[in-house]
Amino acid sequence: QVQLVESGGGLVQPGGSLRLSCAASGTIFSINAMGWYRQAPGNQRELVATFTTMGSTMYADSVKGRFTISRDNAKNSVYLQLNSLKPEDTAVYYCYALRGHMYWGQGTQVTVSS
């Protein structure tokens, strides 16, 4: 089992920034991939940014150049830096880990509004 705990969401004005954190615990060896999805009301969950099974990074087109994924292996954590936020970035952001199957965190709300 893998447990994921996110933090760092909140309310921010357009153009602002946030940093999301995700800490993994439990059986974390052999995690193949880890990253972030988001889900806005009425929409399907979509991939935002991830470390792939090969260790490279991948971003949704809508966030390229604005969001940056990073990790700290010593802390078993991944982070998502969100810059130049837009109202359409408003969603619940979920951390995931792939180890045999997908594990999900509880989600953290990001609201971009003036």
Side-chain angles (χ1 to χ4, degrees):
Q1 292 287 338
V2 177
Q3 293 81 44
L4 302 169
V5 178
E6 301 108 331
S7 61
L11 172 64
V12 63
Q13 292 186 341
S17 298
L18 284 172
R19 186 178 188 239
L20 308 183
S21 300
C22 174
S25 61
T27 310
I28 59 174
F29 66 91
S30 297
I31 288 178
N32 300 117
M34 199 166 172
W36 296 88
Y37 277 70
R38 68 185 179 187
Q39 187 167 20
N43 290 356
Q44 290 187 333
R45 194 170 294 191
E46 63 174 356
L47 178 67
V48 178
T50 186
F51 286 100
T52 70
T53 56
M54 300 301 291
S56 60
T57 57
M58 187 168 65
Y59 295 90
D61 288 342
S62 59
V63 307
K64 283 180 181 177
R66 300 188 299 121
F67 293 6
T68 304
I69 190 170
S70 62
R71 61 187 172 188
D72 185 335
N73 291 333
K75 295 182 178 180
N76 301 317
S77 295
V78 293
Y79 307 94
L80 188 66
Q81 179 68 40
L82 294 71
N83 295 331
S84 302
L85 281 160
K86 304 175 181 180
E88 52 263 42
D89 294 317
T90 295
V92 178
Y93 284 69
Y94 296 92
C95 176
Y96 88 94
L98 176 62
R99 183 184 179 274
H101 65 268
M102 298 283 275
Y103 293 88
W104 297 95
Q106 81 284 358
T108 185
Q109 177 71 47
V110 172
T111 301
V112 185
S113 175
S114 55

